[in-house]
Amino acid sequence: MARRAIVYCGDPVLARKARRIREIGEDLHELLADMEETMLAADGLGLAAAQVGVPIAAVTIRQGPDVEEVLALINPEIVEAEGEQVGTEACLSLPTLRGIVVRPRRVVVEAFDPTGRPITIEGEGLMARCLAHELDHLAGTLFIDVVRPETLVWVRPDETEEAGYREEATTVEEARAAFERLRQPSEGR
Ligand code: NI
């Protein structure tokens, strides 16, 4: 396993519709293992393959913030969505940004596991949010595209705050520009 570089908002790979996977082989297993390692190292709850630069329909998802058990889903699709939940979201491709996104309260996802077996996952609450967020990535959609714009904030470390950080309001446009600048130094390698 190896950790891979996470690509940031503004990289065209994140806006592409993911290709369906037709063959499960060694390369895919290696990618999934790398995604799991990359996600856990970054303390993320989920990761889509596009976030490590590979625009195919694969995601890794953690069962919860305190759980290291990881689900790897191939060609996942939401087949049922129910209700509504309003909550804060973040993304490893938009580091330190947070905002409120409305998601279904419950989803049912059909996918294939890494051995090629069909699986059905039912998620409620945080798991439903996580599945909806990761499956959005497969359509080329980031949370900044669906966030309630007035709730978008930067989370800045701040020792003087009890929480250890403070929130600073921003706009979708400002945030996109900031990630564009973050992305520039790695261009042209
Ligand atoms: Ni994300």
Side-chain angles (χ1 to χ4, degrees):
M1 296 211 293
R3 222 174 277 179
R4 301 203 188 189
I6 293 175
V7 301
Y8 295 127
C9 173
D11 191 310
V13 76
L14 291 174
R16 270 164 66 178
K17 190 172 163 12
R19 260 194 334 270
R20 268 182 80 80
I21 294 163
R22 303 201 178 276
E23 203 184 320
I24 298 174
E26 207 38 54
D27 287 357
L28 181 62
H29 286 144
E30 197 181 316
L31 172 68
L32 291 170
D34 289 355
M35 283 168 62
E36 176 174 340
E37 186 178 335
T38 305
M39 177 183 72
L40 293 175
D43 202 25
L45 282 180
L47 192 73
Q51 292 182 274
V52 293
V54 188
I56 62 172
V59 303
T60 52
I61 289 194
R62 241 155 100 191
Q63 311 270 20
D66 306 318
V67 190
E68 290 231 336
E69 196 188 328
V70 172
L71 271 177
L73 304 178
I74 295 165
N75 296 342
E77 275 174 32
I78 292 180
V79 294
E80 256 182 75
E82 199 189 315
E84 209 178 78
Q85 59 170 317
V86 178
T88 301
E89 236 164 83
C91 179
L92 294 177
S93 291
L94 300 101
T96 75
L97 193 69
R98 273 190 207 164
I100 288 180
V101 181
V102 181
R103 299 284 188 190
R105 186 185 54 76
R106 173 183 166 270
V107 297
V108 178
V109 170
E110 286 180 358
F112 294 89
D113 76 7
T115 69
R117 241 191 334 234
I119 47 169
T120 303
I121 314 286
E122 189 185 330
E124 285 195 54
L126 181 60
M127 188 64 175
R129 173 172 297 284
C130 214
L131 285 163
H133 176 117
E134 294 316 322
L135 269 70
D136 256 7
H137 273 296
L138 303 185
T141 301
L142 301 175
F143 91 83
I144 198 172
D145 300 316
V146 290
V147 72
R148 285 187 174 168
E150 73 280 8
T151 67
L152 208 57
V153 292
W154 296 112
V155 179
R156 310 280 194 206
D158 187 343
E159 298 294 308
T160 67
E161 297 287 331
E162 203 180 320
Y165 64 87
R166 71 191 144 83
E167 293 183 343
E168 203 176 276
T170 185
T171 63
V172 169
E173 209 173 41
E174 213 174 78
R176 281 191 201 281
F179 289 119
E180 199 59 47
R181 286 193 298 274
L182 185 65
R183 218 164 62 76
Q184 293 309 325
S186 64
E187 302 275 283
R189 266 187 309 203

